[in-house]
Amino acid sequence: VGKKFVILSIIHVVVTSILMDIIPMTRVVDDVFLNTVFGGIIHGVGGAIALQANACSGGTDFISMTISNRYNISVWNYVLLFNAGLLAVSGFLFGFEPAMYSVLYKMITTMIINNLHSRYQRKTVFIVAPQAEPLATEIMKLTGHGITMFTGIGRYSGEERTLLYMVVSKDDLPALRGYLASKDEHIFMNVFNSEDLDGNFKLKPFD
């Protein structure tokens, strides 16, 4: 990770600590289960917002992002297993009920982060265009990812078409859609999830 990531993470931790001291604690409900569920949701959303801004809340989050950035994978589920192991030990020592609520809290937080943090969500993109260039070259410059090109015939028009195949990060999609919309209204794009990806897929490192 880079200096900007470390600085933003330190700011996040400091501001969070100050706000926790300043904002008075207010009891909304007395139900432990509801507090666990909604606390996990709020924590997960807050954590995902920080991660989208290339920061984290410190602790195991910092370790997770360091490993994720090194290997280009999301490791939040592994962190959940590690935390669950620690909480299981604490359950033997101090009682299982609070430990089980804590595991539930961590599960909800992890689920929210996995869904909202888009850096490690890959998308397979197929683009059908009248011509390959300069479209393919400009898209490669825009996203930083390679493209495989195929030539085919449009069954409806009977005209030759170019099919561009590529895998991008979910974060790349808004810029890609905006670029294609500005070029040609006849360009067709289909996007679907890449569930299991192997090979040389590079992500932009943290600043």
Side-chain angles (χ1 to χ4, degrees), residues 117-179:
H117 185 214
S118 58
R119 176 176 172 84
Y120 300 101
Q121 296 180 26
R122 277 82 170 202
K123 300 291 182 178
T124 297
V125 180
F126 285 102
I127 301 170
V128 180
Q131 296 179 341
E133 295 296 346
L135 196 67
T137 300
E138 292 179 353
I139 290 175
M140 287 181 63
K141 291 180 180 178
L142 178 67
T143 63
H145 297 295
I147 295 176
T148 301
M149 299 188 296
F150 304 89
T151 300
I153 302 296
R155 185 63 184 85
Y156 181 78
S157 65
E159 298 176 354
E160 186 175 283
R161 291 286 186 267
T162 297
L163 175 64
L164 307 178
Y165 162 77
M166 65 187 307
V167 178
V168 300
S169 172
K170 186 179 179 181
D171 290 341
D172 296 319
L173 287 180
L176 181 58
R177 285 196 174 98
Y179 169 77

Side-chain angles (χ1 to χ4, degrees), residues 70-87:
R70 180 178 178 84
Y71 296 103
N72 286 334
I73 58 171
S74 176
V75 297
W76 297 108
N77 290 334
Y78 300 106
V79 174
L80 172 62
L81 291 175
F82 174 76
N83 287 327
L86 293 180
L87 290 168

Side-chain angles (χ1 to χ4, degrees), residues 36-37 40-41 44 103-113:
T36 301
V37 171
I41 293 173
V103 171
L104 177 61
Y105 172 87
K106 288 293 185 181
M107 288 179 63
I108 294 171
T109 298
T110 301
M111 181 182 67
I112 296 295
I113 290 177

